[in-house]
Amino acid sequence: MITMQNDSHAVAQAVHDIGSALWFGGSTMGVVGVNSAGRDLRDGADRIRVAGSAWNRFAPAQWAGIAATLLAGVQLTRFGGRRIALQKGFGTVGTTKAVLAVAGAAATAYAAYCGSRIAKEAAEAERRGELIDVIDATTPTDRTPERIARWQRQQRVAQYVAPVLAGANIAAGSRLVQSYRAGATLDGVLGRLMR
C-alpha cells in the first residue's frame, strides 16, 4: 500500500510540474512573443486579430496546464497534508501556494476576457470605418479608440501578472518538496514541538 501511495504521489507531482511548466512557459511566450509578433503587420486590426487567434489556439493547452496544476495540487495536499501540517512553516507555504495558483488562474481568465473584449471592440470599430492604430495586441497608441485602449491596458497587466503568479506557484512548490527531506522534516517537527 505504501508503494502505491508513493507511486500515486510521484504521478501527481509529475502532472503538477508539467502542468505548471506549460502554464508558465506558454503565458510567458505569449506575453513576450505572441503579443508583439503582430508589430510586423501593417494594419492595427490585423495585429489584434493575429495575436487573438494565437492566444485562442493556445487556450486549451493553457487551461489544461492550469487544471493539471490545480487538480494535482489538491491530490498532493491529500497525500502530504498531515506531514506538512506537522512541520513548522510548511502549512503556510502550502496555503500561499494554493492562493497563488487560484489567483494566477483568475488573472489568466481575466486576460482572456480582456482579449475577447478587444477583439469585439476592434471588429465594431472596423465596421464603423474607424482607424485602429495600435503598436501591438496589448499596446495602444494615442490614436487608439479608447474603448479598445482601455481593454488593452487591462489585458497587458493581467497577462504580465499571470506568469508571475504561475512562477511564484512553482517556487512555492519547490519549497514544499523540501519538506520531504529528512533534515527538513526533523527541523520542521522539532520547530512545531518547541514553540
Side-chain angles (χ1 to χ4, degrees):
M1 188 69 161
I2 291 173
T3 303
M4 180 181 276
Q5 184 174 359
N6 287 342
D7 289 346
S8 296
H9 183 272
V11 169
Q13 189 68 57
V15 168
H16 178 276
D17 292 350
I18 291 168
S20 296
L22 175 61
W23 180 17
F24 173 76
S27 297
T28 302
M29 184 278 305
V31 168
V32 174
V34 169
N35 290 343
S36 60
R39 289 182 182 197
D40 298 335
L41 302 172
R42 183 175 297 168
D43 184 61
D46 285 344
R47 291 173 182 175
I48 290 170
R49 259 193 296 275
V50 166
S53 176
W55 277 108
N56 287 336
R57 289 171 192 265
F58 176 63
Q62 184 177 37
W63 284 107
I66 291 169
T69 299
L70 295 173
L71 296 174
V74 169
Q75 190 68 1
L76 290 169
T77 301
R78 282 188 49 226
F79 291 143
R82 284 186 296 228
R83 178 188 44 74
I84 290 171
L86 286 174
Q87 296 182 51
K88 185 177 181 190
F90 285 104
T92 302
V93 174
T95 301
T96 301
K97 183 181 180 327
V99 169
L100 289 168
V102 171
T108 302
Y110 190 69
Y113 174 73
C114 290
S116 70
R117 296 299 310 209
I118 291 166
K120 180 180 180 216
E121 295 293 346
E124 288 177 9
E126 198 172 31
R127 274 194 299 276
R128 289 189 299 268
E130 290 181 43
L131 172 68
I132 302 172
D133 184 40
V134 296
I135 294 172
D136 61 31
T138 61
T139 310
T141 69
D142 56 352
R143 295 181 309 222
T144 303
E146 184 54 32
R147 295 176 312 281
I148 296 170
R150 181 178 69 242
W151 289 109
Q152 283 183 305
R153 288 188 292 268
Q154 291 179 46
Q155 185 183 44
R156 188 175 186 83
V157 171
Q159 283 182 339
Y160 274 93
V161 167
V164 167
L165 292 172
N169 180 58
I170 292 169
S174 296
R175 177 71 177 117
L176 282 179
V177 168
Q178 295 303 308
S179 70
Y180 285 98
R181 292 178 42 242
T185 300
L186 182 60
D187 288 346
V189 171
L190 288 176
R192 175 73 65 199
L193 293 173
M194 298 299 198
R195 66 176 168 134

